[in-house]
Amino acid sequence: MSASSAARRLTAVALVAGSVVAAAALPASAVQDRAPDRRQVVISDVQYNAPGPDTRSNRSLNGEWVNITNRSRHSVDLRGWTLRNSKGDKYTFRHLRLNGRSTVTVHTGSGRDTRHDVYQDRRHHIWDNHSDRATLSDRRGSVVDTESWGRGRSHDRDRGHDRGDNRDRGHDRDRGHDRGHDRSNNRADERGNDNGRHQR
């Protein structure tokens, strides 16, 4: 083997070793959040008008919620991600890893956080019944997904997401999700939008 051939082989080995070290040095968050998994996390369903009158009771507050669905096969660490309304009221996810093909419901009121339900612990409704926008952002502040309804709703951003994909769990259990519930107010009729619920 010539000296030049040996030198080329040594250079190639050094380059491969350097690539392996660089990959190992990447922080876990960078691996977890990189595409395509991050883009598969979507706002899949919004109940912006809690069933019944807005009494600000904890039950009424928790009747207002947003579903965040991970449509990929891999889990995504949501720690540091945020969900906010158009006024800037913001909820920050704490320690939550959203498994693949699963959904977490973000309630407005108080409760005990689990893998499938988290609570903003607010004392007032934050989603406007007439017009609002829910924005989901990652820990770097990059917008991951948005959902609008009412006057400010954008009609040109449908990405072909399945509407209301809640197959991983039943969302109608003891959360006031009865779609046929008789609202005592008529705000849903004024909006003409599925009784205060917006699915994708």
Side-chain angles (χ1 to χ4, degrees):
M1 179 184 299
S2 67
S4 60
S5 297
R8 283 196 298 270
R9 290 189 66 181
L10 288 173
T11 301
V13 170
L15 289 173
V16 170
S19 299
V20 171
V21 171
L26 281 174
S29 60
V31 175
Q32 291 164 358
D33 289 346
R34 68 186 179 191
D37 292 342
R38 189 179 68 84
R39 292 198 300 259
Q40 292 296 316
V41 179
V42 300
I43 299 172
S44 57
D45 199 356
V46 180
Q47 177 71 53
Y48 53 82
N49 183 15
D54 291 346
T55 61
R56 295 192 182 183
S57 68
N58 196 50
R59 181 174 182 177
S60 176
L61 291 170
N62 284 333
E64 181 183 80
W65 45 261
V66 177
N67 281 350
I68 309 297
T69 299
N70 177 8
R71 295 184 171 174
S72 75
R73 294 179 299 169
H74 307 289
S75 65
V76 176
D77 186 1
L78 297 186
R79 181 179 54 183
W81 288 40
T82 61
L83 178 68
R84 68 177 186 273
N85 63 12
S86 59
K87 294 180 180 178
D89 296 316
K90 181 171 65 175
Y91 168 76
T92 301
F93 289 88
R94 294 179 281 275
H95 302 287
L96 177 67
R97 180 174 293 279
L98 186 58
N99 292 331
R101 312 294 189 196
S102 65
T103 295
V104 61
T105 299
V106 182
H107 302 272
T108 297
S110 300
R112 184 175 64 87
D113 290 351
T114 68
R115 288 184 304 168
H116 296 297
D117 295 274
V118 294
Y119 298 84
Q120 300 194 45
D121 297 328
R122 296 184 180 273
R123 297 179 180 275
H124 58 87
H125 295 272
I126 67 165
W127 302 113
D128 192 281
N129 292 339
H130 298 285
S131 177
D132 211 338
R133 173 186 291 262
T135 301
L136 178 68
S137 302
D138 65 18
R139 64 173 57 88
R140 301 179 186 88
S142 300
V143 174
V144 176
D145 197 21
T146 63
E147 192 60 43
S148 302
W149 57 91
R151 294 185 299 275
R153 182 179 177 184
S154 172
H155 293 281
D156 59 354
R157 54 173 304 282
D158 181 14
R159 302 177 201 166
H161 297 152
D162 296 332
R163 300 299 194 260
D165 185 4
N166 298 324
R167 290 171 294 180
D168 59 307
R169 66 192 192 95
H171 290 283
D172 292 334
R173 64 184 188 282
D174 46 74
R175 253 193 246 116
H177 290 198
D178 181 8
R179 297 170 182 80
H181 188 85
D182 181 21
R183 270 66 170 172
S184 61
N185 55 33
N186 294 321
R187 284 171 296 181
D189 292 334
E190 294 170 6
R191 282 188 313 276
N193 191 358
D194 193 21
N195 293 327
R197 186 171 181 184
H198 192 69
Q199 291 181 300
R200 299 177 62 195

